[in-house]
Amino acid sequence: MREVEGRAAEAYRKRFDADPEVVASAPGRVNLIGEHTDYNGGFVLPCAIDRRVAVAAGRGEGILYSADFDETRPLTPEEKNSWADYPRGVAWALGEAGCAIGPFRAAFAGEVPRGSGLSSSAAIEAATALALGALFGLEVDRKDLARICQRAENEYVGVQSGIMDQYASLLCHEGAALLVDCRTLEAEDVPLDLEGAGLVLLVCDTRVERGLAGTGYNERRRSCEEAARRLGVRELRDATEDDLPKLSGELLRRARHVVTENGRVLEAARALRAGDYASFGRLMYASHASLRDDYEVSTPQLDAFVECAREIGAPGARLTGAGFGGCAMALVEAGRAEALARRARERFSACGFREPLFYRFLPAPGAEVLVL
Ligand code: GLA
């Protein structure tokens, strides 16, 4: 058992005075490239990180306990707006999908930073879904579980997120990124041997926290739908650069980001397969510029980190996740990561930004479940 799984199991024993029947855990993710493309039917390329949310569960009286908050919440909701909405939403969405689940109790422990854009919410959803699947003997494959988790997030929590985070958490494998076609929902591993190439992913958490419900996320999504409608295509996935002159102003910028980003993801996957990290890194910088200038979801902090990465000669850097705060990430030579973190810390301090946090990640395993 991993440490975080042990903590969830221990919390279960303490809180419920019994042994859990199952323990599951699921990782957060970083997205290497392909931002705001998933809800446009496009392509994404995330990988799982070695920070997880764990749940220990058993049949019982409908109680949820968080070891991190030391807080108990009923499974049947009172008012919404807490960590408990995610497991409740998953239980609800499983029911909607026709899965028979009985009352259960569960204890949670997590190590994915919350509100940073590393998908702590998908991790808690994925861990819950896998645990309930094992607890109640559901025969649901992981792709369907991911869609059920997405439905929980969309309809229960109220964020119109795409499928990327739940797919990444449930389907990623160690040492690989996951190329997902968000229309067909096909997913394939793209081997990512960063260690072999002497590289790491250095993630900079700007600590500008946000829950997506309170940002322009849903509004961006609506703009994309409007742009697709005006272009007469089903989704922006179907638009090409030749279509763009039919749009203007804000809709043009939003659509241009999505169309060019989809192209970058496919190129990036080809570059990774060829071990061409220099090209991959250039695509990361281009993605950031597009998110900053066309999609307008960057912040001064995210831009500052990407600039620092460029200054020290990192092959690539970009914001990762939805933007509006949260994290940026650089692909950097292992021996230069510390220098980049130092430079960014100094830059943030000089600009009067909050002191950032740094994490180094290698592509980690996806969700796992243990039946005890
Ligand atoms: C959030 C959403 C994802 C995706 C990204 C932006 O992480 O949950 O579905 O849309 O933003 O790429």
Side-chain angles (χ1 to χ4, degrees):
M1 250 195 225
R2 296 178 173 87
E3 190 267 341
V4 68
E5 294 164 344
R7 265 201 301 128
E10 195 42 43
Y12 185 99
R13 278 187 208 102
K14 273 211 180 117
R15 179 65 187 73
F16 302 117
D17 205 15
D19 287 329
E21 295 173 63
V22 299
V23 175
S25 73
R29 61 97 190 94
V30 285
N31 188 19
L32 299 176
I33 196 159
E35 223 63 84
H36 294 277
T37 45
D38 60 354
Y39 53 81
N40 288 298
F43 301 95
V44 294
L45 191 63
C47 69
I49 58 176
D50 44 13
R51 294 279 192 121
R52 304 172 76 89
V53 172
V55 54
R59 275 162 284 220
E61 63 276 49
I63 291 178
L64 305 171
Y65 173 72
S66 161
D68 300 333
F69 296 105
D70 188 20
E71 191 177 274
T72 300
R73 300 256 175 182
L75 177 59
T76 332
E78 348 94 312
E79 91 269 24
K80 288 195 187 175
N81 217 353
S82 76
W83 58 271
D85 296 341
Y86 299 100
R88 284 172 186 153
V90 169
W92 168 82
L94 279 168
E96 290 291 297
C99 299
I101 60 164
F104 65 94
R105 55 195 187 184
F108 297 86
E111 55 187 14
V112 184
R114 283 181 291 271
S116 309
L118 297 174
S119 284
S120 57
S121 54
I124 187 172
E125 289 159 5
T128 305
L130 217 52
L132 294 180
L135 193 59
F136 295 106
L138 307 176
E139 308 245 322
V140 186
D141 74 22
R142 287 189 176 219
K143 288 187 175 177
D144 289 332
L145 278 186
R147 299 185 66 178
I148 287 168
C149 291
Q150 184 198 11
R151 184 160 182 206
E153 180 113 15
N154 290 170
E155 295 181 35
Y156 194 89
V157 180
V159 178
Q160 296 306 311
S161 56
I163 192 70
M164 170 168 68
D165 305 341
Q166 292 80 8
Y167 247 57
S169 191
L170 280 156
L171 293 160
C172 276
H173 295 113
E174 189 168 9
L178 189 74
L179 175 63
V180 185
D181 178 331
C182 299
R183 171 170 289 169
T184 63
L185 294 179
E186 272 158 35
E188 60 179 294
D189 277 357
V190 178
L192 185 60
D193 179 15
L194 291 179
E195 259 176 324
L199 296 166
V200 289
L201 291 173
L202 181 74
V203 169
C204 169
D205 182 351
T206 63
R207 298 171 71 212
V208 179
E209 286 179 28
R210 81 284 182 280
L212 285 188
T215 67
Y217 185 88
N218 289 348
E219 184 202 314
R220 290 297 183 289
R221 191 171 175 144
R222 278 195 299 278
S223 299
C224 290
E225 283 159 10
E226 176 62 15
R229 202 182 56 77
R230 294 214 194 164
L231 293 176
V233 294
R234 182 175 141 199
E235 292 174 297
L236 285 181
R237 152 77 175 265
D238 304 302
T240 66
E241 295 196 35
D242 293 341
D243 293 320
L244 295 175
K246 295 178 205 149
L247 298 170
S248 63
E250 189 179 290
L251 286 188
L252 167 62
R253 295 198 301 279
R254 303 295 186 253
R256 186 165 55 204
H257 165 71
V258 175
V259 169
T260 57
E261 184 81 349
N262 274 328
R264 282 187 289 269
V265 178
L266 297 178
E267 255 188 79
R270 277 194 293 274
L272 283 186
R273 286 201 180 95
D276 179 359
Y277 291 101
S279 300
F280 178 72
R282 277 194 293 276
L283 292 160
M284 290 174 77
Y285 282 121
S287 168
H288 184 78
S290 177
L291 288 159
R292 180 190 61 209
D293 302 335
D294 275 348
Y295 219 63
E296 298 179 274
V297 293
S298 192
T299 62
Q301 290 86 345
L302 295 166
D303 294 343
F305 177 75
V306 171
E307 277 320 304
C308 289
R310 202 191 293 277
E311 287 161 18
I312 70 136
R318 55 185 292 278
L319 71 83
T320 182
F324 307 104
C327 290
M329 151 189 90
L331 181 70
V332 59
E333 291 82 6
R336 306 274 295 150
E338 196 42 54
L340 173 54
R342 202 174 325 115
R343 177 178 284 255
R345 245 185 233 114
E346 284 163 12
R347 182 72 46 88
F348 274 49
S349 154
C351 295
F353 301 154
R354 242 182 127 177
E355 190 180 349
L357 294 173
F358 294 96
Y359 312 103
R360 286 178 197 219
F361 294 128
L362 290 171
E368 285 167 2
V369 64
L370 300 167
V371 178
L372 306 175

